[in-house]
Amino acid sequence: MNYEESLDYLDTRPAPMGDFTTDNIKALLNRLNNPQNCGQTIHITGTNGKGSVASFLTNALLENNLSVGKFTSPYLIDIRESVQVDGEFISKDDFVKNLEIIKKEIDVLDSENIIVSSFEILTTIAYLYFKEKNVDFNVIEVGMGGRVDATNTEDENISVFCAISLDHTGILGKNLKEIAYQKGGLIRKESIAFSYPQDVEAKNELLRICEEENSEFRDFRFDEVEIVEANDTDTVFNFRNFKNVKTNLIGEYQAYNASVALMVLEYLKKDYNLDNEKIKLGIEKSRNIGRLELLSKSPKVLIDGSHNDASIHVLTENISKFNYDKLILGFSVLIDKNHEKILSQVEKLADKIVLTEIDNDRHTPLNDLKEEFEKITDKEIYAIEDRKKAAEKTLELAGENDLVLWCGSLYLIKDMRKILLEILNN
């Protein structure tokens, strides 16, 4: 099997039938001697901020000369982006080698009608690779939820909860308590959980689970984070005994995400010799592709994977930090999102709107999306199915002092980032 054949294999894997469970991946991992239990796991869930917190933790630990395997999803550039050790993508050869090891076990499981999905296979590739590289830490980002997510298989962990809000309500639950219950499935017995400042409903459920599991719960208050400076390129803040921490991830909310990571890192000092200045350097070096990422300064071209009501709300708040004349909005959204709330927020930002379709089975048909916007705005709307032509249109409409913003879905941003960079670099 070569690398291209390995990608084809993953693409053709059937989805397991029935309810979501971790039974199938656990059956696979058990046949591989449970590689997920090697190294110390920091397991990250939440609705928004997982990728940022994973980057902050990974880079801070690397600066302190510790080895880190990081697993994130969805990927935006290359599937190998999901599996990294010490900041480097897994090589194509290692990707294929580990998949071939896994495939032998999958063939047995298939014969027993235990069907392992492509995401479960990718997760298992990460665990095998991290074990092989003998990393100190596994920094693991859940795919969705937590309790029945494919990543929720390790015996012990430090669980980390980013901001929890309403998303995937058809799967995770119709209110914050139910969603927090799903995400709280990461909490292990006699362990420790760290959390972003949650709404009362979500926090109470996490506290209940911690009490049930005899585990400790730690969070912080928003007023413990002092914003020293915030602009359209970076944010400087103070948090507890960490002073003048700088993050190059755009948006004040990244100071709160970084503070979650700083709580974890402070806790790890009991077992590891972590230096505050090296931690701060790791925070500053962190990057998060596709999240408030500025691709060009003239005109300003910004992409953001905001895909639900809460993250769009944060995006709109952070756009106020940018200086521009007009905002050209490029947008599309999956059909199962809360269109009414999302569209009403992004419409207020835009002077002109360019719509396209997402390359995903859950895309919103272009004409339907256009009709939804026409009900709430009389602004100029361009509906262009071809994503490259849609990208070109946003740039064509933008003047030197304007801002082009593409948002609405990580699946959209995955394509638009590549397309926009190709256009801008030619």
Side-chain angles (χ1 to χ4, degrees), residues 257-277:
N257 287 334
S259 296
V260 177
L262 290 172
M263 279 198 305
V264 179
L265 294 160
E266 185 68 33
Y267 169 77
L268 290 172
K269 286 181 181 179
K270 69 182 181 63
D271 295 318
Y272 299 89
N273 183 25
L274 303 183
D275 177 78
N276 276 13
E277 292 305 311

Side-chain angles (χ1 to χ4, degrees), residues 46 91 110 159 189 194 207 250 261 267 299 312 327 394 415-416:
S91 71
D110 281 350
S159 54
K189 287 190 180 299
F194 294 90
L207 285 168
I250 301 171
Y267 169 77
I312 291 288
L327 189 145
T394 56
D415 284 344
M416 298 312 297

Side-chain angles (χ1 to χ4, degrees), residues 371-386:
E371 288 176 4
E372 288 182 57
F373 267 105
E374 287 173 338
K375 291 177 181 177
I376 62 172
T377 188
D378 57 2
K379 294 172 183 175
E380 200 168 3
I381 299 174
Y382 302 84
I384 304 172
E385 184 175 356
D386 184 282

Side-chain angles (χ1 to χ4, degrees), residues 306-354:
S306 298
H307 58 281
N308 54 44
D309 179 30
S311 59
I312 291 288
H313 177 70
V314 171
L315 170 64
T316 59
E317 287 185 339
N318 283 288
I319 288 297
S320 66
K321 305 293 190 300
F322 286 78
N323 295 313
Y324 58 89
D325 293 336
K326 294 181 179 179
L327 189 145
I328 314 302
L329 176 68
F331 183 81
S332 195
V333 67
L334 295 177
I335 198 164
D336 55 3
K337 299 297 179 179
N338 188 330
H339 287 206
E340 182 179 354
K341 288 187 176 180
I342 292 174
L343 269 58
S344 66
Q345 291 188 78
V346 296
E347 186 276 335
K348 294 173 184 175
L349 293 173
D351 291 286
K352 296 182 180 180
I353 300 168
V354 177

